[in-house]
Amino acid sequence: MRHVRIGLMAATVLAAAAFQAGTAMAGEIVVGIQCDRTGPTQTVGTFLCPGYHDYVKLVNSRGGIMGNKVRVMEIDHEYKVPPGMEAYQRFKKEGAVIVGIYGTPHTQALTPLLHEDKIPGTSPGFGSAAAANGEKYPYLFPIAATYWSQAAVGVKFAKEQLGGVLKGKKIAYIYYDNPAGREPLPILHKLRDMEGFELKEFAIPPPGVEMKVQVQDIARRYRADFVLNHTFGKAPSVSINEFTRQGYPLKKMIGFVWAAGESNIMGAGGWSKAQGFYVMQFAGAGSKYKVLDDIKALYKSEGKSAPKEMASTVYYNRGLMAAAVHLKGIENAVKAKGGSSKITGEDVKNGLEQVKDFSLGGILPPMTLTTKDHEGGGWVRVFQVQGDGFVPVSDWQHGYRETVMEMVTKGH
Amino acid sequence: MFHRESGYFKTSYKADMALYPLPIGKVAATGFVLLFLVVAPMVLDEYYLSIINIAAIAVVGALGLNILLGYTGQISIGHAAFMSVGAYTAANFAVHFDMPFWITLPAGGLMAAAIGTLVGLPSLRVKGLYLAIATLAAQFIIEWVLNHTPVISGGIQASIEMPRPVFFGTVLNTQSELYFFILPVTILAIIATLNLVRSRIGRAFVAIRDQDIAAEIIGINVYRYKLLAFAISSFYAGVTGVLYTYYFGIANYEAFQLPISIDYLAMCIIGGLGSVLGSIFGAVFITLLPIVIRVFMETVGVFFVDGVYLAQVIAQMRLILFGGLIIFFLVVEPDGLNKLWQNIRNYFRVWPFSY
């Protein structure tokens, strides 16, 4: 009966661990973020979430928000929806005033709950483009350029690169064959009709590691003048190599935001393999920002070296950007309450909608959130692989803003 | 110890075939139903109810897979795909035809059963690992079809927003309201399975599992019962998918991909193949374990790790502990948590006079 006893002991230990819980203390503001450090998108989450923590740590080290400390609750959900739902309920129970959502299905599943519970949620880089409509989704904040805005900038950038005229030009759209990959299609079709270019779509089936046929088609048969590359995971790395192999110049291609990380370049074999490749960023890439120096200084003052996650600047900075927008919204809410930490999700929602021209020294676009526009302007900055890093080649910009907003308002 | 097993004499076939031959079984079952339906919603916070909700949905799916895997001995790696079939069927019915949940629930189940029967066809010819691959193909085919058929999946996003269930004019929004929507379905599923496995059909399933040639010789139509097992199992999966859809508020195939199928296989194997209680144990175990480990790590971890790195350590340790505990429980009792529970029960049955 030894087995029984071992089993009972294990059960008791686990049960004891299960029954403990904390609630928000006075002078403390709780924020909840979902993360994926262990699931299929761990190459992003491992770097993105530390960026969030470090920015909050920096703000707390400076006395917090008007004297109130911010406590971050992070829950890893492995990109599975039920654990994501559980994570949200936990945040709610702990009194979180804002929630950072991670994952497109999670964003969709949480949208009605956010509305019912009056807790704002942010989904930078996730969820549907229609969520930019703040009047329809009052508690959902994409706070970063949606796929529609990215596609619009992609077309605009192609136009600039091809001499200002798109009429009669051939543009290839190569995309990961899932809902997120197909999302830009409606706006691309619309812009095609507006600008009169020729558009051909090339789908890469999951898991996106085999695309020889599609790339050959683009480079040899279709002979595209410009390529929009909207792939995720391993696919961007494979596409860089495949295009090079087919002799297609990388400087005639632009990658959307999830094809734009350091890990994608490393996966292709390093910077030297991807020279000239254009990418879009919704948070600044690189490490030449004052806020990053401040974080390094903070670690140094504690006698530690800077976190190694910082080396992956693209994702780290995106996490930092989410934290910065969250805390800015909270700051506005706390100010409105005269410095009290007793703020509700509704206060933070109003606070977020007052964020205006917030750029944190250039690591963010000049973000302006309004009751109507929860995307913050749809800003994107184009970077190019030059030497050993991403070099900005444009200023923060948006393309075909009226067309995008018209589609957002209509819902499709 | 707690009760006597002697002294109950059965004088009719009906009494002999009762679901609970001993009064304590009946008392315990009623007690559990009362505990969950009356006491739990009164004392528990919304958060804990939300965990029960997620676990209760998983129980239905695990029961379904266990009918196929544990009772009939046919493997399926496409269980999550059948859930998505149920999910999209219900979403389409609810959105386009404004159907209430008491129609969408069985409709989702039936559609999944129909597709499941189709997918079960290879089981007539192939067994074991070969069948596993055949059902794996179903997982990918169903995913692909949903991804590329806007008519079914509602456009380019392949997702349909699902209205909340309405019960006599009340919209079930909060976790406690959804609790009373989900739990009765789970209880119904448990009772149905308990009755199914001791019926003629259930015995035929077991006969096929243990030796299909012998089963055929004693007059069981193996083809029919194999397909029936696939149909029933898929029906449960479909209902699970509908419950998930109502719970998430969205039908999206990305919530029903291959790792979810594997999760359900794990639930059945860890809980105990061929047992209803095992399915419940397995589903609850797989759902709760990550949460419990996380809470445990949050409490203990702060003593060892710096705050900013804690999240990283928790996430990784959770996977390690999760895997470790699964191996631990399977080594301690290869027949699953159900057998472990039976050992405990048998130990206390004669306690303190063992041997």
Side-chain angles (χ1 to χ4, degrees), chain B residues 13-352:
Chain B
Y13 285 116
K14 202 168 163 249
D16 196 36
M17 288 184 42
L19 200 51
Y20 303 107
L22 294 176
I24 185 154
K26 226 175 269 177
V27 172
T30 325
F32 265 105
V33 171
L34 281 181
L35 177 72
F36 277 103
L37 277 184
V38 181
V39 182
M42 281 201 294
V43 297
L44 287 184
D45 184 88
E46 284 251 306
Y47 168 63
Y48 296 106
L49 291 184
S50 79
I51 297 178
I52 300 181
N53 282 341
I54 295 170
I57 297 174
V59 166
V60 181
L63 280 171
L65 189 58
N66 219 337
I67 291 173
L68 188 68
L69 188 69
Y71 284 99
T72 323
Q74 308 296 310
I75 195 162
S76 165
I77 311 189
H79 208 56
F82 301 138
M83 289 181 199
S84 60
V85 172
Y88 280 105
T89 310
N92 276 314
F93 273 42
V95 171
H96 297 306
F97 306 109
D98 215 10
M99 299 270 191
F101 70 84
W102 46 269
I103 293 182
T104 56
L105 266 175
L110 287 174
M111 183 61 93
I115 306 283
T117 316
L118 208 64
V119 172
L121 282 173
S123 74
L124 307 180
R125 291 296 292 274
V126 295
K127 281 189 221 168
L129 285 176
Y130 300 93
L131 182 60
I133 298 302
T135 50
L136 180 65
Q139 170 84 38
F140 288 125
I141 291 169
I142 291 173
E143 263 180 35
W144 190 89
V145 169
L146 289 173
N147 199 356
H148 289 92
T149 322
V151 184
I152 304 172
S153 55
I156 233 154
Q157 285 270 324
S159 52
I160 306 175
E161 279 178 38
M162 185 79 162
R164 293 283 188 204
V166 180
F167 186 70
F168 287 117
T170 321
V171 183
L172 306 179
N173 269 335
T174 62
Q175 292 298 318
S176 47
E177 284 163 353
L178 283 167
Y179 181 83
F180 285 108
F181 166 66
I182 292 166
L183 206 67
V185 178
T186 310
I187 293 175
L188 210 63
I190 294 171
I191 296 174
T193 322
L194 279 174
N195 280 304
L196 175 80
V197 298
R198 64 198 190 111
S199 69
R200 185 190 169 83
I201 299 174
R203 285 193 297 275
F205 286 170
V206 173
I208 291 171
R209 175 193 68 191
D210 288 346
Q211 178 52 267
D212 54 350
I213 297 172
E216 203 163 6
I217 289 169
I218 58 172
I220 293 168
N221 187 340
V222 174
Y223 295 156
R224 208 183 122 207
Y225 279 103
K226 272 186 179 173
L227 286 185
L228 191 62
F230 264 99
I232 293 174
S233 164
S234 311
F235 182 86
Y236 277 72
V239 170
T240 313
V242 182
L243 289 178
Y244 270 135
T245 306
Y246 274 120
Y247 188 71
F248 296 159
I250 194 130
N252 186 321
Y253 81 95
E254 285 181 300
F256 304 106
Q257 286 182 320
L258 186 60
I260 308 299
S261 285
I262 306 295
D263 273 359
Y264 276 88
L265 276 179
M267 286 177 197
C268 288
I269 293 167
I270 292 164
L273 289 173
S275 90
V276 172
L277 201 57
S279 319
I280 301 171
F281 282 151
V284 173
F285 185 81
I286 296 276
T287 314
L288 286 193
L289 195 59
I291 301 170
V292 173
I293 293 175
R294 194 184 64 229
V295 173
F296 175 77
M297 289 293 301
E298 278 169 1
T299 322
V300 180
V302 282
F303 300 114
F304 300 103
V305 202
D306 180 42
V308 177
Y309 287 107
L310 185 61
Q312 173 74 1
V313 174
I314 289 177
Q316 308 298 336
M317 278 306 285
R318 207 197 55 201
L319 276 193
I320 296 170
L321 282 177
F322 187 65
L325 279 173
I326 287 175
I327 295 173
F328 171 79
F329 277 106
L330 283 182
V331 168
V332 168
E333 191 47 73
D335 287 339
L337 296 174
N338 182 49
K339 191 70 200 306
L340 206 62
W341 159 243
Q342 276 179 359
N343 289 348
I344 295 171
R345 216 175 56 168
N346 289 340
Y347 176 75
F348 281 110
R349 208 165 145 203
V350 288
W351 187 84

